[in-house]
């Protein structure tokens, strides 16, 4: 049959229905969801189905060396708890989706996107934010000094996250070369494109540590 052969409109509609259903099933199966006919499909559960509307949890965090007790909603993220409950607004929110690194803090020594962690999941953890880097008398951390000295920012919005990530990058031993620094700092985006100067600041601190 030539592709130009006229197909009865009823047959064409049935074919398209079947194709659409098949495509949807393949998509669902690819995501580990079993295919269901429309009559079997159930509405997805909502958070309110599991958690009472006014539910709150009390959590304990060590933040910048101080023990803090917080009352948070189950849906509160760590970055919201730090900024809104503790007033530590140095940690920024950029994408709120784990893509930009603006919210980077150290959680039990590891750099972490605080927008991706529920505050309740961080219960008992040790958190260091940008406010916790300076010395007791306010002396800047060497990485903060290096960012200032190397002009490693323009608008400064990404800078707290960049600095937290840079501190961890060196501690992890991932600052051997400029390429390695770029690779291991690639989770922190800078819309002002201060990247060359950020790399220079990390190199400066790395070299100073070597003595
Ligand atoms: S705000 Fe958390 S990664 Fe962008
Ligand atoms: S300095 Fe502006 S986003 Fe990085």
């Amino acid at each position: 049959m030539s592709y130009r052969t006229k197909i009865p409109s009823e047959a064409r509609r049935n074919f398209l229905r079947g194709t659409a259903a098949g495509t949807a099933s393949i998509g669902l199966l690819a995501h580990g969801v079993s295919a269901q006919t429309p009559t079997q499909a159930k509405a997805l559960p909502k958070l309110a189905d599991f958690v009472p509307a006014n539910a709150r949890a009390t959590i304990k965090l060590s933040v910048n060396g101080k023990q803090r007790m917080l009352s948070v909603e189950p849906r509160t993220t760590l970055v919201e708890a730090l900024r809104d409950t503790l007033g530590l607004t140095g940690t920024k929110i950029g994408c709120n989706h784990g893509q930009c690194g603006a919210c980077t803090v150290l959680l039990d020594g590891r750099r972490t996107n605080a927008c991706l962690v529920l505050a309740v999941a961080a219960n008992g953890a040790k958190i260091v934010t940008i406010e916790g880097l300076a010395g007791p008398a306010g002396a800047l951390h060497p990485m903060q000094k290096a960012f200032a000295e190397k002009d490693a920012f323009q608008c400064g919005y990404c800078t707290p996250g960049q600095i937290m990530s840079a501190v961890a990058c060196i501690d992890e031993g991932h600052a051997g070369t400029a390429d390695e620094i770029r690779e291991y700092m690639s989770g922190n985006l800078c819309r002002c494109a201060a990247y060359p100067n950020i790399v220079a600041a990390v190199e400066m601190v790395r070299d100073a540590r070597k003595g």
Side-chain angles (χ1 to χ4, degrees), residues 82-127:
L82 292 170
R83 289 177 53 87
D84 302 339
T85 310
L86 297 179
L88 296 171
T89 53
T91 304
K92 303 301 182 205
I93 299 177
C95 64
N96 216 10
H97 282 87
Q99 313 246 319
C100 72
C103 63
T104 305
V105 298
L106 303 184
L107 190 155
D108 290 337
R110 299 181 61 164
R111 46 184 160 164
T112 300
N113 289 334
C115 70
L116 290 185
V117 179
L118 288 174
V120 289
N123 186 26
K126 189 175 162 196
I127 311 292

Side-chain angles (χ1 to χ4, degrees), residues 152-159 162 189-194 198:
F153 52 87
Q154 289 180 43
C155 77
Y157 196 82
C158 72
T159 310
Q162 299 279 2
L189 305 184
C190 175
R191 292 175 69 169
C192 301
I198 291 170

Side-chain angles (χ1 to χ4, degrees), residues 42-62:
K42 292 180 193 148
L44 288 172
K46 300 185 187 70
L47 184 64
D49 296 337
F50 304 102
V51 184
N54 298 325
R56 296 194 75 83
T58 301
I59 61 168
K60 280 187 201 166
L61 297 174
S62 160

Side-chain angles (χ1 to χ4, degrees), residues 128-208:
V128 180
T129 70
I130 190 74
E131 290 90 346
L133 281 192
L140 292 182
H141 184 281
M143 191 61 79
Q144 292 173 306
K145 276 192 205 158
F147 265 63
E149 195 161 317
K150 294 291 180 184
D151 254 342
F153 52 87
Q154 289 180 43
C155 77
Y157 196 82
C158 72
T159 310
Q162 299 279 2
I163 289 176
M164 298 311 293
S165 207
V167 167
C169 184
I170 292 181
D171 288 346
E172 292 162 10
H174 289 141
T177 63
D179 277 350
E180 195 180 18
I181 293 168
R182 277 191 279 273
E183 173 72 21
Y184 281 88
M185 290 292 292
S186 62
N188 290 79
L189 305 184
C190 175
R191 292 175 69 169
C192 301
Y195 297 113
N197 300 22
I198 291 170
V199 172
V202 178
E203 287 175 326
M204 184 178 165
V205 177
R206 176 203 64 196
D207 295 344

